[in-house]
Amino acid sequence: MSCAAPQELLTGSFAENMFHLVRNAMKENFVHRRGVRARPLPVTHRPAPPEPGALAAKVRTLAPSMTRSMQRVAETVAADPAGCAALTVTGLAERTGTSEATVVRTARLLGYPGYRDLRLALAGLAAQQASGAAPAVTADITVDDPMSDVVAKLAQDERQTLADTAAALDISQLEAAVGALATARRVDVYGVGASSLVAQDLAQKLLRIGLVAHAHADPHLAVTNAVQLRTGDVAVAITHSGRTVDVIEPLQAAFDHGATTIAVTGRPDGEITQYADHVLTTSTARESELRPAAMSSRTSQLLVVDCLFIGVAQRTYDSAAPALHASYEALAHRHSPRER
């Protein structure tokens, strides 16, 4: 009987999988020994590939964090889905000046199990574009644009950003986040800069339906509050870049102390996700000199906040409806002229 290992055991794929399994097991054991909560290992369930219409949104969201070669592949398939759908993996690699491995890695990063699935999505997207269903991305705003063009371009960019965010949002992650918030003893929300406005909006919405929620823009207060959180509490971090230290630190503290953690970010591979139980990905319009990322990211973040709020209100309707009515009644006299 031969002692040679079966051929499939010699593949790079198997070796890579074994490496990750051993590394995760060692990490879990090390963290357990230190008494620090370990980040949950990825589940074996693979989410369904994005719909064809979500492909362009995924490219716009993930391209900034890709390598240059992967960016070429992603931007090429988004720009010419019909032409790329007809190419083999070798053909696309030659067209983009990359390798077959890069093409496959790009397909997987975009959410498709393999290149075959990406080709099917490209064919579907091409069909949508041929029927006029896919909107065109508008040009950047320039310093010489008349105000009418500024309004039209901003409106189109806002619509595109909202559509991209809705298409790319992981509904299972959203539902899990809603479930955690609906039963939370206390909710802390962290955000700085433009994201602090979104954090305040979420906290105020949750307060109006009876939840104990606070937004922290001061990084010192955020951390000192985060270390008080425990199991049953929820911490939400809002950061477009996914690498804002003043937001990462309190979320990590909350994570280490047992709170359920949620990250709302435009970078699903950002550092913030290391300490998030649930990741909600936002999209942004193209950044330009007159339209920084903070502007378009706020639009998509507010959509996610509204989804969280409505979801929580649905699940806690019996208590949320009276609380919302009471807050409305308490403020009603401030929105109408006083009687003299």
Side-chain angles (χ1 to χ4, degrees), residues 73-91:
V73 175
E75 291 169 357
T76 299
V77 299
D80 183 19
C84 294
L87 297 175
T88 63
V89 64
T90 302

Side-chain angles (χ1 to χ4, degrees), residues 1-322:
M1 181 176 177
S2 174
C3 295
Q7 182 64 36
E8 62 268 19
L9 297 185
L10 300 178
T11 63
S13 157
F14 178 82
E16 183 178 357
N17 288 339
M18 286 301 297
F19 169 76
H20 288 303
L21 285 172
V22 172
R23 184 189 65 177
N24 286 335
M26 292 177 66
K27 180 179 178 182
E28 184 178 23
N29 183 57
F30 173 73
V31 173
H32 176 71
R33 284 185 166 186
R34 292 180 60 194
V36 179
R37 179 179 166 213
R39 184 184 181 194
L41 296 178
V43 295
T44 55
H45 170 70
R46 185 185 295 273
E51 293 296 323
L55 176 58
K58 295 283 285 188
V59 170
R60 280 190 287 272
T61 298
L62 297 175
S65 61
M66 293 179 177
T67 63
R68 286 187 176 275
S69 58
M70 294 176 74
Q71 283 180 351
R72 289 202 298 274
V73 175
E75 291 169 357
T76 299
V77 299
D80 183 19
C84 294
L87 297 175
T88 63
V89 64
T90 302
L92 183 56
E94 292 175 351
R95 175 171 172 175
T96 56
T98 61
S99 65
E100 294 180 10
T102 298
V103 171
V104 173
R105 284 198 302 270
T106 305
R108 289 176 177 170
L109 182 60
L110 291 173
Y112 302 94
Y115 180 63
R116 177 178 176 277
D117 303 273
L118 175 59
R119 285 184 70 182
L120 291 174
L122 290 173
L125 180 58
Q128 287 183 3
Q129 290 179 341
S131 67
V137 179
T138 60
D140 291 334
I141 297 172
T142 67
V143 70
D144 298 322
D145 278 345
M147 188 53 63
S148 59
D149 286 357
V150 171
V151 172
K153 290 180 177 182
L154 281 177
Q156 174 58 33
D157 279 347
E158 298 285 346
R159 285 194 293 268
Q160 188 67 57
T161 298
L162 292 172
D164 287 352
T165 300
L169 200 56
D170 188 326
I171 301 302
S172 63
Q173 288 285 300
L174 179 61
E175 289 179 338
V178 166
L181 288 169
T183 58
R185 182 185 68 92
R186 167 182 160 187
V187 178
D188 275 13
V189 192
Y190 317 122
V192 296
S195 295
S196 71
L197 303 175
V198 182
Q200 290 177 34
D201 185 65
L202 176 58
Q204 290 172 10
K205 279 182 166 67
L206 296 177
L207 279 171
R208 292 200 67 182
I209 57 174
L211 273 69
V212 178
H214 304 282
H216 302 287
D218 183 292
H220 292 183
L221 286 176
V223 172
T224 55
N225 277 272
V227 298
Q228 305 302 322
L229 299 181
R230 298 292 183 269
T231 301
D233 298 326
V234 173
V236 183
I238 302 175
T239 165
H240 169 64
S241 69
R243 56 178 183 268
T244 306
V245 174
D246 289 340
V247 176
I248 293 174
E249 286 185 352
L251 192 74
Q252 180 180 0
F255 181 86
D256 289 342
H257 284 80
T260 298
T261 51
I262 301 168
V264 179
T265 179
R267 300 289 182 266
D269 59 343
E271 185 181 350
I272 192 74
T273 61
Q274 296 179 30
Y275 310 107
D277 295 304
H278 311 297
V279 178
L280 305 177
T281 305
T282 59
S283 179
T284 60
R286 293 181 300 165
E287 185 173 3
S288 67
E289 182 181 8
L290 296 178
R291 182 172 170 76
M295 289 177 61
S296 56
S297 66
R298 188 173 66 249
T299 300
S300 55
Q301 289 169 354
L302 287 171
L303 173 61
V304 173
V305 162
D306 285 348
C307 290
L308 289 171
F309 169 70
I310 294 298
V312 173
Q314 287 178 321
R315 295 199 183 192
T316 62
Y317 182 79
D318 289 342
S319 59

